[in-house]
Amino acid sequence: MPRDTLTADRIVRAAIELLDDEGLDGLNMRSLAKRLNSAATAVYWHIKTKDDLVRLASDAIWHEVELPDVDTADWRTAATAHAGGMHAMLTRHPWLVQAFGSHLLHGPRQAQYNDISLAIYEKAGFDADGADRAAAAVFTFVLGSALAPAAQVSLNRRLGKNGADAEQLMADALTSATETARQFPRLRERLGTTAATEYAGAPDRTFEFGLQSLLDGFEAALEAGGAQRRK
């Protein structure tokens, strides 16, 4: 493909597809150029480095998070939708969780998400410092909640390299972990009522429970602050 038929937007979209398929470690300019039916040198005309490419790809997928209308929605509804949208996006693109720890990520779409987050918690009644802390707490919780599924995807890729049977390796490790867990009373009790294959997984609706607990805490803090001011 001639160089002038390439655009930065096409390259970024192809990079997102490659990242979704192969993960952060699988992204390189040669593989990307092959997907674009181009030469790696042509890609460099538009995007200079792999770090730039990861930054642009990461910012592009933030548009998948539907931003709530802070003016019309109550703050808890907006906060739930906002955090849930980020969690769903990270689940679709698990490489982004890893990229947060290895790349400098920034861009207008991510900034818009962060700005709306502050607006939500200011509407709830926090002052600027409180809104900063609330937004950061929720962001950290969502990122942490997406870590386990992202790590699982990365682990499966690593275990499956060189023709290894990733599923069998995982099954063997799970059997060993289950036997270890049986040595401890509370884990043993749960293993008696839960299939061994579920031992490593979080209970249903763990994310929803954790998020609503955080928002309950915010609401309690705001109510307590209001009570103090009324004294």
Side-chain angles (χ1 to χ4, degrees):
M1 181 180 297
R3 190 188 77 202
D4 60 2
T5 65
L6 286 178
T7 64
D9 182 64
R10 285 192 58 214
I11 293 169
V12 168
R13 283 188 280 114
I16 292 169
E17 293 174 1
L18 180 57
L19 286 161
D20 289 345
D21 290 343
E22 303 294 337
L24 199 60
D25 293 337
L27 177 65
N28 59 72
M29 292 303 196
R30 180 176 296 179
S31 296
L32 180 60
K34 185 176 180 181
R35 282 188 176 238
L36 291 162
N37 192 28
S38 181
T41 51
V43 175
Y44 283 114
W45 277 97
H46 297 274
I47 298 175
K48 300 301 183 184
T49 68
K50 179 180 174 180
D51 284 349
D52 286 341
L53 185 57
V54 171
R55 177 177 55 78
L56 292 168
S58 72
D59 193 58
I61 59 177
W62 281 95
H63 84 278
E64 298 178 14
V65 181
E66 185 175 350
L67 300 177
D69 187 340
V70 180
D71 292 331
T72 59
D74 68 273
W75 78 268
R76 282 196 66 139
T77 299
T80 300
H82 196 243
M86 176 184 168
H87 188 262
M89 181 269 287
L90 291 174
T91 301
R92 289 190 296 270
H93 306 287
W95 54 270
L96 182 55
V97 178
Q98 182 183 358
F100 271 113
S102 57
H103 290 73
L104 297 172
L105 303 181
H106 57 88
R109 289 185 175 95
Q110 183 179 346
Q112 184 182 27
Y113 178 93
N114 293 336
D115 188 73
I116 293 295
S117 185
L118 295 175
I120 290 170
Y121 296 110
E122 287 178 356
K123 181 176 183 178
F126 286 107
D127 61 16
D129 288 343
D132 286 346
R133 286 190 288 270
V138 172
F139 189 95
T140 302
F141 168 73
V142 176
L143 191 60
S145 297
L147 180 60
Q152 188 65 57
V153 170
S154 178
L155 179 60
N156 286 343
R157 287 197 184 102
R158 188 178 69 79
L159 292 177
K161 283 185 177 180
N162 303 317
D165 188 339
E167 289 187 6
Q168 187 58 54
L169 291 170
M170 286 294 298
D172 292 344
L174 186 56
T175 297
S176 179
T178 300
E179 290 306 310
T180 300
R182 291 188 189 282
Q183 301 174 40
F184 301 91
R186 292 168 186 80
L187 298 180
R188 184 168 59 248
E189 179 183 357
R190 282 157 177 76
L191 287 169
T193 58
T194 304
T197 54
E198 296 297 320
Y199 170 65
D204 290 344
R205 301 189 63 78
T206 294
F207 171 73
E208 291 81 1
F209 173 81
L211 177 61
Q212 293 309 313
S213 296
L214 264 178
L215 300 184
D216 287 345
F218 293 165
E219 200 157 37
L222 288 165
E223 290 175 357
Q228 288 295 324
R229 288 191 294 272
R230 290 192 294 271
K231 287 183 178 180

